[in-house]
Amino acid sequence: MPSYDTNNIFAKILRGEVPNDTVLETEHSLAFNDIAPQAPRHVLVIPKGAYMAYDDFSSDASAEELVDFHRAVAEVIRIIEAEEKGFRAITNARTHGMQEVSHFHMHILAGQLMGPLLAS
Ligand code: 5GP
């Protein structure tokens, strides 16, 4: 497993070095609009801690961080009014997942039919 790259763009956002369009901030998590939205609503939810992907976050984060993150996801779904019609939550990891930014993030996509799970 590679080590965490402190120069990734989301680390810069967390340090306030790069601006973001914040949707929600909690003690341990930040949610902001994706810069290149793939749906009418496209929000990224990230932990403030230095985790690279869903698996190291899930195994290494504290109970408080884990609860905070998942409650933030639920709150974002309420904020973007996706409770009734639904949403897609995606997280990519490393090479096969085609992860571009190596700070763990959950994509919340909503506002349209999402189509098949994987494009061929
Ligand atoms: P990944 O492919 O790693 O799962 O997704 C990375 C996401 O981060 C992409 O959807 C991309 O548009 C988004 N992204 C990359 N750079 C920035 C940025 O500087 N600001 C914001 N808000 N989103 C970004």
Side-chain angles (χ1 to χ4, degrees), residues 23-24 31 43 45 72-81 108:
V23 173
L24 176 71
V43 178
V45 188
V73 168
E75 181 63 16
V76 164
I77 289 161
R78 281 192 286 275
I79 290 169
I80 65 173
E81 300 180 337
I108 307 296

Side-chain angles (χ1 to χ4, degrees), residues 6-20:
T6 56
N7 282 322
N8 77 74
I9 194 76
F10 295 169
K12 291 179 179 177
I13 285 175
L14 286 167
R15 289 197 295 268
E17 297 166 7
V18 169
N20 77 92

Side-chain angles (χ1 to χ4, degrees), residues 7-82:
N7 282 322
N8 77 74
I9 194 76
F10 295 169
K12 291 179 179 177
I13 285 175
L14 286 167
R15 289 197 295 268
E17 297 166 7
V18 169
N20 77 92
D21 185 10
T22 299
V23 173
L24 176 71
E25 180 165 11
T26 66
E27 185 179 359
H28 296 294
S29 308
L30 181 68
F32 51 92
N33 286 311
D34 195 293
I35 202 166
Q38 303 295 307
R41 298 308 311 260
H42 185 171
V43 178
L44 301 169
V45 188
I46 70 173
K48 291 181 177 175
Y51 302 103
M52 292 179 286
Y54 194 35
D55 49 351
D56 63 299
F57 175 69
S58 298
S59 58
D60 299 344
S62 69
E64 289 77 12
E65 289 174 300
L66 291 165
V67 169
D68 183 287
F69 179 83
H70 289 289
R71 293 266 157 76
V73 168
E75 181 63 16
V76 164
I77 289 161
R78 281 192 286 275
I79 290 169
I80 65 173
E81 300 180 337

